[in-house]
Amino acid sequence: MKAWFRSRYLDLLGSIYIYNEHRGYTSIDRVLEAVRSRWPDDAELIASIEKHRADERKHYVMFRRWFEDQGKMPLMVERTCGHIDRFVEIMFGRRIDDLDTRTVISDDRLFARLCRVISLTEQRGYKQVEILLAHPLVSHDKRLIKIFRIIEQDEPSH
Ligand SMILES: [Fe+2]
Ligand SMILES: [Fe+2]
């Protein structure tokens, strides 16, 4: 019973993570496109966003492999489990998919708000990883611990 519960818990946890990492890198892709068109010469800014995008994509792939190697599919999880979705809805009053990234980036105030959303999502994510690394249900899964350690290292750098 306990093993069953643990396995369900980890499936759900992995599913929430795979959703959020995917949501993260695909949203950063949109930001990147808009930043490239507004500040094409700002190589430093573009490079830092690219690094962030690459990290989030790497996290997504780690969870995907974790599922694949167990022969499992992630559970269906949607935007109510998305942290970036929630922050965007609070700060912009609309869903991510309805957000016009170009308009946001061409307005300094809105752009600052977007940066704040990204930063809040990251801070939240970092705290969450610290909690999960100490969580008894997670500690049984060595591979998951390894994934969370990598995320823990990546977060402050981007
Ligand atoms: Fe991530
Ligand atoms: Fe991150």
Side-chain angles (χ1 to χ4, degrees):
M1 183 63 191
K2 204 172 169 218
W4 178 87
F5 174 73
R6 182 165 66 227
S7 150
R8 290 299 288 177
Y9 176 82
L10 295 183
D11 285 351
L12 181 61
L13 182 66
S15 305
I16 292 173
Y17 262 87
I18 207 170
Y19 174 87
N20 277 279
E21 304 293 2
H22 183 268
R23 201 64 162 151
Y25 88 79
T26 51
S27 301
I28 296 173
D29 266 342
R30 291 171 53 205
V31 173
L32 198 52
E33 192 199 286
V35 166
R36 277 201 190 109
S37 75
R38 184 169 176 201
W39 298 289
D41 302 323
D42 195 338
E44 202 185 321
L45 177 64
I46 291 171
S48 73
I49 301 172
E50 278 170 346
K51 157 85 169 73
H52 192 175
R53 191 261 183 207
D55 283 349
E56 301 306 356
R57 157 104 191 142
K58 180 179 84 184
H59 301 164
Y60 162 71
V61 171
M62 292 190 303
F63 285 105
R64 203 176 70 188
R65 297 225 173 99
W66 179 78
F67 276 108
E68 281 170 358
D69 291 349
Q70 301 178 80
K72 284 183 180 171
M73 288 283 281
L75 306 167
M76 282 293 275
V77 153
E78 36 86 77
R79 64 177 184 88
T80 46
C81 290
H83 303 294
I84 186 99
D85 295 69
R86 210 154 38 86
F87 284 132
V88 165
E89 282 171 34
I90 292 167
M91 303 275 270
F92 290 94
R94 64 184 63 193
R95 295 183 184 187
I96 290 189
D97 299 320
D98 300 329
L99 201 66
D100 181 355
T101 341
R102 270 168 201 267
T103 311
V104 169
I105 281 175
S106 55
D107 181 321
D108 288 345
R109 217 170 42 92
L110 292 179
F111 183 58
R113 198 181 292 175
L114 179 67
C115 292
R116 178 97 186 107
V117 166
I118 294 171
S119 158
L120 280 171
T121 310
E122 291 298 330
Q123 285 169 27
R124 201 218 129 268
Y126 189 75
K127 274 193 214 122
Q128 191 60 44
V129 165
E130 304 278 276
I131 294 167
L132 290 171
L133 278 171
H135 199 295
L137 285 174
V138 178
S139 62
H140 284 266
D141 192 318
K142 298 288 167 256
R143 190 163 164 195
L144 207 52
I145 290 282
K146 226 170 130 187
I147 295 175
F148 284 132
R149 290 237 179 272
I150 294 171
I151 295 176
E152 187 189 29
Q153 278 174 9
D154 286 343
E155 296 304 355
S157 73
H158 62 228

